[in-house]
């Protein structure tokens, strides 16, 4: 024999009820069944609302009753073909009379409210019974009030087991193949209608299963079962096919709406397995709940949550060593009928913190203020502190008690994504680790933890790209080409969520189609950097990475705020890393405090691993003593291609067209760009250094340095062509190559044009190559050499991509 419970959505419409009867009919072919039904979906809430309206003399409750009657008669007619029914008329007549009494007295007692709410289940069970009979099922409808006896705690009555057990023993004489009960409702010994409170229909079914020693209890709802996380917030959530009672209780307590914890206790007491099934997918997968079940491979079974939580904190030096403070706190909350969701206390006994529902904040604060008024006035304890707009996130799994490091991994994962933990609770059973966080971080927290603990799923990285010029286009192209491979081979799901140019921006939370990004951007909104940042922060996605592919000073100024919001920054923009030392260190400090990353490998030599190589040396205990480098692929290209036969200005223009220069080539030719790169290397070697400490020897004529704009600059280059021809001739006469060399040694740094002989590694640089020589304590006589292409859209984009992957793999 099995017990089948169908929730409100399962009987929420004519088609849904027909589906229920079809499921029951099939089950009845092989087993005797007891069926418990909830009220039609949404009806209980409507009954609560109209009863409250009646209590405040809002006559619109009459319209609500009429609407409910029409709704039920329409369903009944569709099921049976009858447009009227005496029983339905009788229930609505009684409902109208009771509500009229509430209206006249302006009083809604819990007893009266229970009677009003009972109408929902009485109506739904009657309609289901009528359709079952029409379909020819051998069915008997029982009034649960005649069999389930409770105390007088209306609104959440407690079952009195002895008379209830006797009633069900007597019921067996009248049972049929299908036995139908309304859920949620019961009656007192005085025959007064009562309700079983939240989850009452589940409890009715679980109680019947217990009393009749059923083989199985089936909970039919609108989902296939318990999930690893809330699928509305975590798209990667998957079904849990089998869990233990304890895990189901924990998951249900912390937000899983499929089950209400007390409702399955009667079934647990007699070891009856529970199946959670989907009314609208009866042949689909399900969750099976049994008393004893262990999955030795799965540590975390699910991640659950409770929204709208508040923290109430009592602190004070006089609490230390005084045992009755906790007792008084909980008694005050209990007397105010405030349920405590979570408890945590400092080992110093200086404070105690409890989590409560946010709707109970006013009641709770009043109760605690009243209880501890004297101590507060004497300054023995502080006034109670209330924090709102919070939620609880919980890891659940029976196997957690056998593994170390779960809490640490949880806290680290949240911290890396900038989710601050307000309170922590873990029971001695170690089946549950709960944290209280700000509610606006809930979605990010759930997704981050799900990725961290369910390793078979993809780790999603959300990119926000500003700047879609040559490098930006190359970067987006590279991401598009590698997305599938990275997901398949490395379990990394890189998605571009936002893009922007100087005028427009476009966002797509789940990631945009990169084959169409140019068209999508054209459909985007007008946008500036502040608007883009505001939108990005509002999305609050985990593993967010801001990518600045511009040379904008104003955009570099937003890095600090982003890093402090736990949003990592990747950029080839050198401005931020070369500002005053204090501001540079502030960016570095922000990454340590807020768990973000600031990566700028492409600041020095495009895609070459120069900064990362030096960081590895520094972290492993080596010390950089001196640096020699050719750090401008642009300048190297210019002097490799200039031989006096073509004007120097033409070579500069060619380099700009090829994407080898900064948007304004004067930044390259002035040597300022090389100075910035050298400054970054010096700072990354662990030294404090400023830009004005670098000596600069310019190779440009003084007139060119004073050009007002780019057009004038090109004209002045042409006017001073003889200067560049002389530079070339002098080097050629010595069989040397012209190189703009950056050097650092003995605390001194300089950048200038030099004639390099064949014996030097810099002589044979080709095209746009860069080269860096690191002389360290380990590489003293022979330097560590990093060499390769140091300019160009593709190689710079690949360096940006490499930084993104470093973040993904961290």
């Amino acid at each position: 024999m099995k017990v089948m419970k169908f929730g409100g959505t399962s009987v929420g419409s004519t088609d849904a009820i027909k589906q229920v009867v079809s499921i029951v009919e099939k089950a009845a072919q092989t087993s005797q069944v007891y069926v418990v039904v909830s009220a039609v979906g949404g009806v209980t809430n409507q009954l609560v609302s109209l009863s409250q309206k009646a209590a405040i003399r809002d006559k619109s409750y009459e319209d609500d009753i009429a609407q409910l009657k029409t709704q039920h008669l329409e369903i009944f007619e569709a099921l049976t073909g009858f447009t009227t029914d005496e029983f339905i008329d009788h229930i609505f007549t009684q409902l109208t009379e009771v509500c009229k009494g509430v209206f006249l007295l302006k009083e809604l007692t819990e007893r009266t409210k229970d009677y009003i709410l009972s109408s929902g289940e009485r109506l739904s069970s009657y309609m289901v019974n009528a359709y079952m009979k029409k379909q020819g099922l051998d069915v008997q409808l029982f009034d649960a009030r005649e069999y389930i006896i409770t105390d007088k705690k209306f609104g959440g009555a407690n079952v009195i087991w002895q008379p209830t057990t006797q009633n069900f023993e007597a019921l067996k004489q009248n049972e049929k193949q299908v036995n139908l009960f309304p859920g949620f409702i019961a009656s007192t010994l005085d025959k007064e209608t009562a309700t079983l409170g939240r989850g009452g229909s589940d409890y009715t079914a679980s109680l019947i299963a217990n009393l009749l020693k059923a083989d199985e209890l089936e909970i039919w709802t609108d989902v296939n079962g318990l999930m690893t996380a809330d699928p509305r917030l975590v798209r990667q959530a998957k079904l849990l096919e089998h869990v233990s009672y304890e895990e189901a209780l924990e998951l249900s307590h912390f937000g899983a709406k499929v089950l209400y914890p007390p409702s399955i206790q009667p079934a647990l007491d007699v070891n009856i397995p529970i199946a959670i099934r989907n009314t609208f997918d009866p042949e689909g997968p399900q969750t099976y709940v049994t008393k004893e079940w262990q999955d030795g491979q799965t540590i975390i079974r699910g991640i659950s949550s409770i929204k709208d939580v508040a923290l109430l904190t009592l602190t004070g030096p006089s609490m230390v060593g005084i045992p009755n403070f906790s007792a008084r706190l909980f008694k005050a909350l209990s007397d105010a009928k405030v349920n405590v969701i979570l408890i945590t206390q400092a080992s110093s006994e200086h404070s105690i913190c409890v989590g409560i529902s946010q709707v109970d904040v006013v009641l709770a604060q009043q109760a605690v203020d009243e209880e501890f008024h004297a101590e507060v006035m004497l300054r023995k304890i502080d006034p109670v502190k209330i924090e709102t707009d919070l939620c609880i996130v919980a890891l659940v799994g029976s196997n957690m008690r056998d593994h170390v490091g779960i809490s640490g991994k949880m806290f680290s994962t949240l911290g890396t994504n900038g989710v601050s933990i307000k309170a922590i609770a873990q029971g001695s059973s170690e089946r549950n680790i709960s944290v209280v966080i700000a509610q606006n971080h809930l979605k990010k927290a759930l997704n981050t933890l799900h990725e961290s603990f369910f390793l078979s799923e993809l780790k999603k990285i959300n990119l926000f790209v500003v700047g879609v010029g040559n490098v930006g286009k190359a970067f987006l192209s590279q991401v598009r080409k590698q997305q599938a491979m990275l997901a398949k081979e490395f379990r990394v799901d890189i998605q571009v969520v936002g893009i922007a140019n100087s005028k427009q921006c476009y966002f797509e939370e789940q990631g945009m189609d990169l084959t169409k990004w140019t068209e999508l951007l054209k459909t985007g909104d007008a946008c500036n950097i502040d608007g883009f940042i505001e939108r990005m922060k509002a999305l609050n996605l985990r593993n967010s990475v801001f990518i600045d592919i511009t040379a904008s000073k104003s955009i570099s100024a937003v890095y600090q705020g982003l890093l402090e919001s736990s949003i990592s920054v990747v950029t080839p923009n050198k401005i931020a890393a070369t500002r005053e030392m204090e501001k540079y260190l502030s960016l570095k400090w922000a990454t340590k405090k807020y768990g973000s990353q600031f990566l700028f490998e492409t600041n020095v030599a495009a895609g070459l691993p120069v900064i990362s190589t030096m960081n590895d040396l520094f972290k492993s205990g080596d010390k950089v003593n001196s640096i020699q480098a050719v750090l401008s692929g642009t300048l190297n290209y210019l002097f490799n291609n200039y031989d006096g036969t073509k004007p120097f200005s033409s070579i500069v223009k060619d380099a700009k067209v090829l994407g080898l220069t900064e948007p304004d080539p004067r930044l390259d030719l002035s040597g300022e760009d090389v100075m910035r790169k050298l400054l970054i290397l010096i700072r990354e070697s662990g030294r404090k250094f400023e830009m004005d400490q670098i000596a600069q020897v310019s190779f440009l004529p003084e007139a060119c340095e004073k050009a007002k704009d780019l057009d004038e600059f090109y004209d002045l280059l042409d006017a001073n062509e003889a200067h560049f021809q002389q530079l070339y001739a002098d080097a050629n006469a010595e069989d040397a190559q012209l190189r703009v060399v950056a050097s650092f040694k003995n605390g001194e740094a300089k950048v200038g044009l030099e004639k390099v002989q064949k014996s030097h590694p810099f002589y044979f640089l080709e095209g746009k190559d860069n080269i860096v020589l690191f002389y360290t304590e380990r590489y003293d006589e022979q330097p560590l050499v990093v060499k390769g292409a140091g300019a160009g859209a593709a190689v710079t984009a690949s360096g940006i991509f490499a930084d993104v992957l470093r973040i993904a793999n961290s």
Side-chain angles (χ1 to χ4, degrees), residues 109-122:
T109 65
E110 289 296 322
R111 185 179 72 169
T112 303
K113 185 177 179 181
D114 271 6
Y115 185 85
I116 292 172
L117 297 186
S118 74
S119 304
E121 274 70 17
R122 291 161 63 201

Side-chain angles (χ1 to χ4, degrees), residues 555-802:
I555 294 179
S556 70
V558 307
Y559 296 173
Q560 186 78 34
L562 292 173
L563 296 172
E564 291 177 358
S565 299
S566 299
I567 297 172
S568 293
V569 175
V570 171
T571 183
N573 187 337
K574 306 173 189 67
I575 294 175
T578 56
R579 297 171 71 190
E580 297 87 345
M581 190 70 194
E582 181 183 351
K583 293 180 178 178
Y584 165 83
L585 292 175
S586 180
L587 292 173
K588 291 285 188 175
W589 174 81
T591 64
K592 296 176 182 178
K593 182 176 181 180
Y594 297 98
S596 49
Q597 295 192 55
F598 177 38
L599 299 181
F600 44 91
E601 182 70 78
T602 49
N603 273 200
V604 173
L608 292 182
V610 175
I611 294 177
S612 56
T613 298
M614 190 168 62
N615 284 339
D616 289 342
L617 292 172
F618 181 70
K619 291 175 184 176
S620 65
D622 202 356
K623 181 181 179 181
V624 176
N625 294 323
S626 66
I627 301 169
Q628 275 191 302
V630 173
L631 295 174
S632 174
T634 302
L635 293 174
N636 205 36
Y637 172 87
L638 296 179
F639 288 112
N640 275 337
N641 286 275
Y642 181 68
D643 59 6
T645 61
K646 186 176 180 180
F648 189 74
S649 63
S650 297
I651 306 297
V652 175
K653 292 176 181 178
D654 290 344
K656 189 174 188 300
V657 171
L658 292 172
L660 301 180
T661 72
E662 296 291 336
D664 187 342
R666 288 178 291 177
L667 189 62
D668 296 290
L669 273 71
S670 68
E672 181 181 345
D673 189 54
V674 177
M675 292 171 67
R676 289 185 184 276
K677 293 176 180 180
L678 179 60
L679 178 61
I680 290 168
L681 287 179
I682 295 170
R683 287 178 171 179
E684 289 294 295
S685 73
R687 295 172 171 86
K688 292 185 177 181
F689 220 78
E690 299 288 358
M691 182 73 87
D692 59 12
Q693 293 177 258
I694 302 175
Q696 180 188 19
V697 182
S698 176
F699 65 86
L700 289 175
E702 185 177 352
C704 294
E705 294 178 358
K706 296 180 179 180
K708 296 178 181 178
D709 53 40
L710 194 53
D711 289 336
E712 184 180 356
F713 179 70
Y714 285 135
D715 291 340
L716 288 170
L717 286 181
D718 286 333
N720 289 273
E721 175 63 20
H723 169 78
F724 299 106
Q725 289 191 0
Q726 187 62 52
L727 290 175
Y728 175 77
D730 291 346
N732 194 47
E734 298 180 25
D735 197 19
Q737 292 281 6
L738 291 172
R739 300 284 184 252
V740 174
V741 177
S743 61
F744 173 75
K745 188 176 183 179
N746 298 326
E748 296 184 356
K750 69 176 182 177
V751 172
L753 186 67
E754 297 182 13
K755 289 178 282 190
V756 177
Q757 306 298 322
K758 285 185 177 181
S759 60
H760 199 283
F762 293 173
Y763 182 90
F764 294 101
L765 287 180
E766 298 178 354
K768 54 192 176 184
D769 280 358
N770 279 191
I771 185 170
V772 183
L773 310 182
F774 290 116
Y775 291 90
T776 74
E777 291 182 351
R778 295 174 188 162
Y779 296 89
D780 188 15
E781 295 182 4
Q782 294 294 325
L784 174 63
V785 180
V786 181
K787 178 183 177 182
V795 293
T796 303
S798 68
I800 296 170
F801 204 170

Side-chain angles (χ1 to χ4, degrees), residues 503-514:
K503 297 180 179 179
Q504 287 180 289
C505 62
Y506 178 81
F507 290 86
E508 196 165 320
E509 185 172 349
Q510 299 305 325
M512 65 189 70
D513 182 353
L514 291 182

Side-chain angles (χ1 to χ4, degrees), residues 536-554:
M536 178 175 63
K537 287 184 177 181
L539 286 172
N540 198 25
L541 300 177
R542 79 279 192 194
N543 303 325
S544 291
V545 183
F546 177 77
I547 302 177
D548 173 20
I549 314 180
T550 74
S552 168
K553 183 176 181 179
S554 62

Side-chain angles (χ1 to χ4, degrees), residues 129-291:
N129 178 65
Y131 185 67
M132 284 183 172
K133 287 185 174 181
K134 183 181 177 182
Q135 295 302 106
L137 273 69
D138 181 24
V139 58
Q140 175 66 46
L141 173 62
F142 296 92
D143 188 339
R145 295 175 297 176
E146 297 178 8
Y147 296 90
I148 301 175
I149 308 303
T150 69
D151 60 15
K152 291 191 175 184
K153 188 182 177 183
F154 297 103
N158 299 300
V159 171
I160 303 176
W161 280 83
Q162 184 177 358
T164 300
T165 302
Q166 293 173 349
N167 289 340
F168 274 89
E169 283 296 326
L171 174 146
K172 291 180 180 178
Q173 300 175 7
N174 300 315
E175 65 183 357
K176 294 190 177 182
Q177 191 65 14
V178 177
N179 305 279
L180 179 62
F181 277 79
F184 183 55
I185 64 175
S187 69
T188 67
L189 290 169
D190 297 333
K191 304 297 181 182
E192 296 173 309
T193 297
T195 66
L196 300 174
R198 178 186 166 193
S201 292
D202 282 356
Y203 190 81
T204 301
S206 184
L207 177 67
I208 293 173
N210 176 297
L211 294 172
L212 299 179
K213 303 300 185 289
D215 298 311
E216 184 177 77
L217 168 61
E218 293 180 348
I219 305 293
W220 291 82
T221 181
D222 57 355
V223 295
N224 289 89
L226 294 169
M227 306 286 285
T228 52
D230 187 341
R232 294 168 298 181
L233 298 175
V234 181
R235 296 184 69 201
Q236 303 289 348
K238 59 184 179 180
L239 183 75
L240 292 167
E241 295 183 355
H242 202 155
V243 297
S244 67
Y245 276 127
E246 290 79 7
E247 290 169 335
L249 287 170
E250 294 282 5
L251 287 169
S252 299
H253 178 72
F254 283 89
K257 305 303 181 185
V258 178
L259 288 175
Y260 178 56
S263 69
I264 64 173
Q265 189 64 45
L268 185 155
D269 290 340
V270 291
N271 198 19
I272 296 173
I274 301 172
I276 302 171
R277 307 186 66 178
N278 190 340
T279 303
F280 309 103
D281 184 18
E283 303 303 321
Q286 59 183 300
T287 296
Y288 207 58
V289 184
T290 54
K291 187 170 186 178

Side-chain angles (χ1 to χ4, degrees), residues 5-17 19-20 38-43 220-223 277-280:
K5 178 264 176 178
F6 294 89
T9 54
S10 296
V11 292
S13 66
T14 302
D15 290 340
I17 291 174
Q19 176 73 357
V20 166
S38 298
V40 170
V43 166
W220 291 82
T221 181
D222 57 355
V223 295
R277 307 186 66 178
N278 190 340
T279 303
F280 309 103

